[in-house]
Amino acid sequence: MDKERLDPFIWRVGVVVVLGSAMSILDTTIVNVALKTLAREQHASLSQIQWVVTGYLLSLAAVIPITGWAARSFGAKRVYLFSMILFTAGSALCGLASSTTELIVFRVLQGVGGGMILPIGQLMLAEAAGPKRMGRVMSIVAVPMMLAPILGPALGGLIVDNLSWRWIFYVNVPIGLIAVPTALRFLPNVERKPAERLDFLGLALIATGLPLVLYGVSEIASTHSFTSSKVIVPVLAGIALVCAFVVHALLVKRVKPLLEVRLYRRPTFASASFAMICLAMALFGGMILLPLYWQSIRHESVLNSGLLQAPQGLGMALVMPLAGRLTDRFGGGPLALFGAILTALATIPFGFVGTHTSIVFLSVAMLVRGVGIGFAFMPAMTAAFASLERSELSDATPQLNALQRAAGAIGTGILAVVLQRALTGAHTLSAQAGAYGTAFWWSAAITALAIIPCVILLVAERNARATHVAAEVSSPADASIELAA
C-alpha cells in the first residue's frame, strides 16, 4: 500500500474541516457588502454599524491564541465541536437581532466560535496526515482560505439584492446543522493531555495586544490616515503588549507559554511564516481594490463585481491539488518562490487599468494571479507545518492563523489609505482609474516582498535535506564502528 496516499479517513476529516473553515472565513467578507443596508435597516450610522465587522474581527483575534492550550487541555475534537455550535448559535442570534447593539454583541459571540474553528481544524488534519502527506492535506484546507474571501462578496451581494439582510447570517445555520453531527461522527477522538496551567499573563498580553493592533489598522480605512491618533495609539499600544508577550514567552518557566515563539528560531518555519504574511497582505488587500474598481470605475453591480473576481478563485482552485502533490515531492520552497514571482508579475497589468480596460484581459490576469497565489500560499503553509514535530502543531496553528488575520487587516488598511490619497484631487473618471492603478502597484510591491522569504525558505529546506541525508549516511558507519568495538 502507498503510505503517502490519502486514505478515506483523511478525506473525511478534510471535508469536516473545510465545512467549518468555510463558514468562519466566509463570514469575514460576506457582511461587508451589506453594511449600508444594515445601517439603513437598523437606523444607525456607518461608523456605528462598522462595529458589526470590527467586533467580529477583534473577537477572532482575541480567541485564536488560546486554541492551542484548549486543544491540549480539553481535546481537539471537543473544542472543535464547541466552536462550531457557538458559531452556528451566534449566526442564528445575529439574524434575529433587533438592534445594532444586539447585532454587535452576537457578532462578537460568533467571532469567539469562528476564531477557534480554523486553527483547531488545521491541527487535527495535520496530525491525521503526517509530514509526508502534508502538501496534499494542506491543499484541502487551503480551499476555503483562498476561495471564501472571493466568494463572500458575490454571495453577500446576491443575498442583499434578493433576500432580507438577515440571511447574511442565517446562511450559516443549515451548514452548521450539517457540520456539527458530521464532525461528531467522523473526527477522531484525541485523548486529552494532562491538564496544564493556563498562562494567564501571556493570555492577558496577547489577547489585548493583537486586537488593539487590528483595531488600529481597521481605523486606517475610516480615517484615511496612517498618522491619526485613532490609528497610532492602539497600534503602538498593541505592538508594545505583543512585544511584552514575546519577552514573557521566552523567559517564563513556571508554566508553558501560551504560544511557543521559539519556533521562529527555525529558518524554515520563520521564512515560511514571513512569506505567508506578505502573501496574505497582498491577497486580502487586493480584495478591497478589485470590487471598488468594478463598482466605482466600471459601474458594475455589487453582484457582478463579486462574480468578476471568480477567475482568481478559479486559478487557485485549479492548481491547489497539483501544488499539494508537487510540494510533497519537492518541498514548499521552489513552488512558493515560483508562485510569489508569478503573483507579483500577474499584478502588474492592474497598475495600468483605465476606464475601458478589457474585462477579458483583466480576467485572464486574475486567473494567472490566482494560479500564482495557489502555488505560493499553500506550499509556504505546508513548509511551515512540515518543519514541526506533531507535538508542536498545537503551538504553531494558532500563531499562523493569527499572523494571517493580522496581515490581511494590515494589507487592507495600507491599500485603503494609498487608494484614498491617490483619489484626492482625481476629479475625472480617468484620473480616478489611475488612482486605482497606483494602489495596484503597491499591491504588486507587497507581493514582491514575499520573494525574499521564499528564497530563504528554499535555501533552508535544501540545508535541512542535506543535513538529513548526511545523518542517514553516517548512521550505518557509526553502527559498524560500535559493532567492531
Side-chain angles (χ1 to χ4, degrees):
M1 181 182 292
D2 183 4
K3 293 182 179 180
E4 297 185 7
R5 188 180 64 184
L6 296 184
D7 54 46
F9 164 72
I10 295 177
W11 279 111
R12 288 194 292 268
V13 175
V15 169
V16 173
V17 171
V18 166
L19 275 174
S21 302
M23 286 199 307
S24 172
I25 301 175
L26 193 67
D27 238 57
T28 60
T29 56
I30 195 173
V31 179
N32 291 352
V33 297
L35 286 180
K36 289 185 178 180
T37 302
L38 288 172
R40 183 180 66 251
E41 294 288 335
Q42 298 292 338
H43 307 290
S45 66
L46 281 176
S47 61
Q48 291 173 323
I49 210 67
Q50 179 65 33
W51 277 96
V52 172
V53 173
T54 304
Y56 182 80
L57 178 67
L58 297 184
S59 59
L60 280 177
V63 77
I64 285 175
I66 204 174
T67 53
W69 172 84
R72 293 189 298 269
S73 300
F74 303 105
K77 182 175 181 178
R78 290 185 181 89
V79 177
Y80 190 82
L81 287 168
F82 170 77
S83 303
M84 289 288 299
I85 293 170
L86 188 62
F87 182 85
T88 305
S91 299
L93 290 171
C94 285
L96 295 170
S98 58
S99 68
T100 303
T101 301
E102 286 185 6
L103 184 56
I104 293 171
V105 170
F106 295 145
R107 277 286 281 176
V108 170
L109 181 67
Q110 189 188 35
V112 171
M116 292 188 286
I117 289 175
L118 184 58
I120 294 292
Q122 286 180 339
L123 167 63
M124 289 188 293
L125 198 51
E127 286 185 339
K132 291 186 177 181
R133 298 175 291 191
M134 193 68 72
R136 277 167 287 174
V137 166
M138 286 299 109
S139 68
I140 297 173
V141 77
V143 171
M145 291 176 62
M146 300 292 101
L147 296 186
I150 296 170
L151 298 178
L155 180 58
L158 186 65
I159 291 174
V160 170
D161 287 344
N162 297 281
L163 298 169
S164 164
W165 64 266
R166 298 181 185 276
W167 281 96
I168 290 282
F169 306 105
Y170 286 150
V171 71
N172 292 318
V173 177
I175 301 176
L177 292 176
I178 295 172
V180 170
T182 304
L184 188 62
R185 177 169 181 178
F186 292 117
L187 289 183
N189 287 308
V190 181
E191 292 185 6
R192 292 186 299 174
K193 296 182 179 180
E196 61 185 56
R197 287 177 55 194
L198 178 61
D199 179 13
F200 286 103
L201 178 56
L203 176 60
L205 291 171
I206 195 67
T208 306
L210 186 58
L212 276 175
V213 172
L214 294 185
Y215 171 73
V217 169
S218 69
E219 285 295 297
I220 292 176
S222 58
T223 60
H224 308 304
S225 171
F226 292 115
T227 57
S228 168
S229 60
K230 291 184 177 180
V231 175
I232 294 295
V233 173
V235 167
L236 291 181
I239 290 175
L241 289 171
V242 171
C243 290
F245 169 79
V246 172
V247 173
H248 165 74
L250 290 172
L251 298 179
V252 66
K253 295 181 180 180
R254 294 182 178 179
V255 296
K256 179 180 173 60
L258 194 66
L259 299 175
E260 185 52 83
V261 297
R262 293 180 181 86
L263 295 176
Y264 295 99
R265 292 176 176 174
R266 301 180 188 178
T268 302
F269 185 81
S271 56
S273 299
F274 186 63
M276 290 169 63
I277 289 173
C278 296
L279 292 167
M281 289 174 65
L283 172 62
F284 292 98
M287 290 299 98
I288 194 177
L289 296 178
L290 287 167
L292 289 174
Y293 168 75
W294 291 123
Q295 293 176 49
S296 302
I297 306 300
R298 307 303 288 267
H299 304 296
E300 298 287 347
S301 67
V302 173
L303 176 58
N304 287 343
S305 65
L307 293 175
L308 283 168
Q309 296 184 74
Q312 183 168 287
L314 178 62
M316 291 186 289
L318 287 174
V319 303
M320 277 185 187
L322 174 62
R325 288 184 173 275
L326 292 177
T327 300
D328 286 340
R329 194 168 187 178
F330 301 108
L335 291 172
L337 179 59
F338 167 74
I341 293 173
L342 183 61
T343 304
L345 292 175
T347 308
I348 290 176
F350 293 92
F352 300 98
V353 291
T355 55
H356 301 290
T357 305
S358 168
I359 292 179
V360 174
F361 173 72
L362 292 180
S363 296
V364 171
M366 289 180 67
L367 180 70
V368 176
R369 191 172 190 265
V371 169
I373 293 171
F375 271 121
F377 200 95
M378 192 280 300
M381 181 170 62
T382 300
F385 279 113
S387 67
L388 304 171
E389 301 292 335
R390 290 199 178 196
S391 60
E392 296 170 326
L393 291 174
S394 61
D395 289 311
T397 48
Q399 296 182 62
L400 293 176
N401 276 271
L403 287 174
Q404 291 169 36
R405 304 276 187 178
I410 292 170
T412 300
I414 290 174
L415 294 183
V417 172
V418 169
L419 176 61
Q420 184 62 34
R421 291 187 173 181
L423 286 171
T424 302
H427 301 299
T428 65
L429 195 60
S430 178
Q432 291 171 10
Y436 279 91
T438 300
F440 278 117
W441 278 114
W442 275 73
S443 179
I446 293 172
T447 309
L449 282 176
I451 295 174
I452 299 173
C454 286
V455 171
I456 298 173
L457 173 61
L458 178 63
V459 173
E461 282 189 333
R462 286 183 175 177
N463 290 340
R465 195 176 297 114
T467 302
H468 179 69
V469 170
E472 287 185 340
V473 170
S474 63
S475 293
D478 294 340
S480 61
I481 290 173
E482 289 178 5
L483 288 172

